[in-house]
Amino acid sequence: MSDNFTIEAIPVAPLRIAAHISAEKLAREVDSRIVEFRKHDLEVLKKKYTDSVLLRDFAPDSFLLDLDCPRFGTGEAKGVINESVRGVDEYIICDITNYSNTYKVSGYVNHMSPDDNYQDLKRIIGASIAKAHRVNVIMPFLYESRQHKRDKRESLDCAMALEELVNMGVENIITFDAHDPRVQNAIPLNGFDSFMPTYAFLKAIVSRFPDLKINKDTVMVISPDEGAMGRSIFLANNLGVDMGMFYKRRDYSRVVNGRNPIVAHEFLGSSVEGKTVIIVDDMISSGESMLDTARNLKERKAKNVIVCCTFGLFTNGFEKFDEFYNNGYIDLIVTTNLNYKPEEIYTKEWYVEANISKYLASVINSFNYNISTYGFSNSKKIQELLSKLRQ
């Protein structure tokens, strides 16, 4: 049964999930969850609605569409949906960070880039938008979300992408932990939702440290930079613990790889000595800044350093993380299953995955019922978990 189910609602249209090849694993898990929800929901709705037309195609064995994005020898592609989507409520899931899939260009092998995955997303939209009742896009990692503001003569890629999608006819864009949710200002009259995995982080931490006592004397939340302050304040307030932050001191006289290099990470906050510190951010890219923050905290005599990030990209591989774990600078890294990661990561002692599949399934289910997602409160679930831990 979905967390936000109400017997007063019926679907706006038959539900279908269009899984791009970049998000097939996640989509299968989400699909199986919704199938479970609907089996229960169907028994409830049958008692209320005797008209079978209202419940047409309500609980099939799978909601996944049969689709493909084949490529020509030049590398050009097209989106193909191999079954009818007339009148359906379609949810397209695409992981734009998945680089594991390949295609050939004149015999050369290319790995799928975020641009390639985004273009395929538009192809799937183009193949179905004219017939579907409603098309919704689920991009867990929002395309170009790191290029969300203009400092000089720069392109606003994320804003342009959002405008492009709604101009194609997409009604709702669903993402997780947007780098800066204010980017939705580019499409103020359209649906944009950014959900947070905070509760899943806490569950993963408790699974690794079941004896952890969460109070002001034992736990502290750390923001690795100014941009993550909101996430850290939210978690610290819900846990009832103190918060500290780092800010990046940069050398503004030089530009390296398009950015001013970081000179040092300066800490603002009370003592972390003897405490378990939880660092919260939206992503781990190369991980250099995060690892530097972790080492700084251990040098300040923190007991445990736990890193929680929604997206584990690990663009420079795992070698540095192994080194820091072996040297005692990090104790645990938690990321979600919302983006692709090499299978190797699941062998790492320092890693735990926070599974968001049920959460995303509940979101899709509620959208399909056209009911509020207000009930998906991280705060409420965190308080319930804390209450169980105290007992």
Side-chain angles (χ1 to χ4, degrees), residues 239-259:
L239 297 182
V241 301
D242 292 330
M243 195 206 82
M245 71 161 289
F246 284 85
Y247 72 91
K248 298 172 182 176
R249 185 153 54 87
R250 296 181 180 272
D251 181 358
Y252 288 100
S253 66
R254 297 186 297 134
V255 176
V256 178
N257 295 326
R259 308 188 73 178

Side-chain angles (χ1 to χ4, degrees), residues 54-72:
L54 292 175
L55 302 178
R56 175 176 61 90
D57 208 16
F58 179 81
D61 293 332
S62 175
F63 294 93
L64 293 174
L65 285 172
D66 179 12
L67 60 86
D68 192 17
C69 290
R71 290 187 178 263
F72 303 100

Side-chain angles (χ1 to χ4, degrees), residues 184-299:
Q184 68 185 287
N185 292 341
I187 50 168
L189 302 181
N190 296 86
F192 180 95
D193 290 271
S194 178
F195 295 96
M196 300 297 293
T198 316
Y199 170 67
F201 286 156
L202 191 59
K203 280 184 65 179
I205 292 172
V206 170
S207 71
R208 177 59 69 91
F209 298 100
D211 297 325
L212 179 64
K213 305 296 182 183
I214 301 178
N215 56 57
K216 282 189 174 184
D217 298 324
T218 58
V219 173
M220 192 170 177
V221 176
I222 302 294
S223 174
D225 54 35
E226 309 93 297
M229 281 287 288
R231 301 175 184 89
S232 302
I233 291 172
F234 177 82
L235 179 59
N237 286 350
N238 274 280
L239 297 182
V241 301
D242 292 330
M243 195 206 82
M245 71 161 289
F246 284 85
Y247 72 91
K248 298 172 182 176
R249 185 153 54 87
R250 296 181 180 272
D251 181 358
Y252 288 100
S253 66
R254 297 186 297 134
V255 176
V256 178
N257 295 326
R259 308 188 73 178
N260 301 108
I262 298 170
V263 176
H265 288 86
E266 305 290 355
F267 181 67
L268 300 174
S270 57
S271 173
V272 299
E273 184 173 353
K275 294 182 178 179
T276 293
V277 294
I278 304 173
I279 307 173
V280 184
D281 208 352
D282 61 332
M283 73 179 78
I284 295 176
S285 185
S286 66
E288 291 181 5
S289 295
M290 190 66 71
L291 292 174
D292 191 41
T293 299
R295 176 166 53 192
N296 194 312
L297 289 166
K298 274 298 177 86
E299 289 173 352

Side-chain angles (χ1 to χ4, degrees), residues 70-206:
R71 290 187 178 263
F72 303 100
T74 57
E76 298 167 287
K78 63 179 178 180
V80 181
I81 297 179
N82 299 311
E83 58 183 281
S84 174
V85 292
R86 186 178 297 277
V88 306
D89 189 21
E90 182 180 348
Y91 293 80
I92 307 174
I93 306 179
C94 180
D95 173 15
I96 61 101
T97 69
N98 189 338
Y99 58 87
S100 67
N101 300 305
T102 61
Y103 64 96
K104 287 187 176 181
V105 180
S106 299
Y108 294 96
V109 176
N110 278 5
H111 282 264
M112 295 280 283
S113 70
D115 290 344
D116 291 320
N117 288 319
Y118 177 65
Q119 286 299 119
D120 273 2
L121 168 65
K122 291 193 294 180
R123 293 179 178 113
I124 296 170
I125 295 170
S128 56
I129 194 74
K131 306 298 182 184
H133 173 76
R134 184 172 70 174
V135 172
N136 313 272
V137 166
I138 300 173
M139 278 193 290
F141 186 98
L142 188 62
Y143 177 67
E144 290 288 3
S145 58
R146 299 172 77 176
Q147 186 52 31
H148 63 285
K149 63 181 180 179
R150 176 178 287 155
D151 291 327
K152 298 178 183 177
R153 292 174 294 280
E154 299 176 338
S155 58
L156 290 171
D157 293 52
C158 189
M160 291 191 295
L162 293 177
E163 286 188 330
E164 186 176 24
L165 292 177
V166 299
N167 287 337
M168 291 184 73
V170 173
E171 290 204 27
N172 294 294
I173 297 172
I174 300 168
T175 189
F176 279 80
D177 200 356
H179 191 66
D180 187 341
R182 289 176 295 183
V183 74
Q184 68 185 287
N185 292 341
I187 50 168
L189 302 181
N190 296 86
F192 180 95
D193 290 271
S194 178
F195 295 96
M196 300 297 293
T198 316
Y199 170 67
F201 286 156
L202 191 59
K203 280 184 65 179
I205 292 172
V206 170

